[in-house]
Amino acid sequence: MKRFDVKHTVFHILVGLYFIWAFIFAALLAMAISNTVEPRNSELTGMFPVWILMNLVMGSALYVVMRMFRSKDVINKAVRVSFIALAAAALGIMAYMAIKA
């Protein structure tokens, strides 16, 4: 019987958590931009920047922990590209929200 590789399993669990975070974060960014373009709920307008920053910190923590594994897989490249795209989108949306307000 093969030996159970805990490090490999933990890495894949972290990747799974990362992609769940990425999907939820993209939905949050879409809601923020939608509410900024066409204001529907004024109470949420002030809360979106805090939620975006908090989620960006959480995603950054996940990203840093995954980078500690030093894997050279295709998964790491996909994570890096998606993280950079989401971080840039978050900063852009927050700047747009600040200008629009």
Side-chain angles (χ1 to χ4, degrees):
M1 186 169 186
K2 253 185 168 176
R3 191 178 161 146
F4 189 65
D5 187 10
V6 176
K7 184 178 176 183
H8 184 78
T9 304
V10 169
F11 177 74
H12 282 282
I13 289 171
L14 285 172
V15 168
L17 286 173
Y18 172 81
F19 282 112
I20 291 170
W21 167 83
F23 179 76
I24 292 171
F25 190 54
L28 175 66
L29 292 175
M31 288 187 328
I33 197 71
S34 172
N35 195 45
T36 303
V37 170
E38 188 178 315
R40 293 183 189 102
N41 193 342
S42 60
E43 291 87 21
L44 283 179
T45 305
M47 294 175 70
F48 276 126
V50 175
W51 287 347
I52 291 172
L53 280 176
M54 181 182 67
N55 273 292
L56 193 56
V57 168
M58 300 275 291
S60 298
L62 267 172
Y63 179 72
V64 166
V65 170
M66 284 190 311
R67 295 293 294 165
M68 291 172 66
F69 282 93
R70 294 189 179 135
S71 177
K72 301 291 184 197
D73 295 352
V74 174
I75 292 174
N76 251 1
K77 291 178 184 172
V79 167
R80 181 178 38 229
V81 169
S82 66
F83 180 75
I84 291 170
L86 283 172
L91 294 176
I93 289 172
M94 288 185 58
Y96 178 73
M97 289 171 65
I99 291 170
K100 185 85 173 180

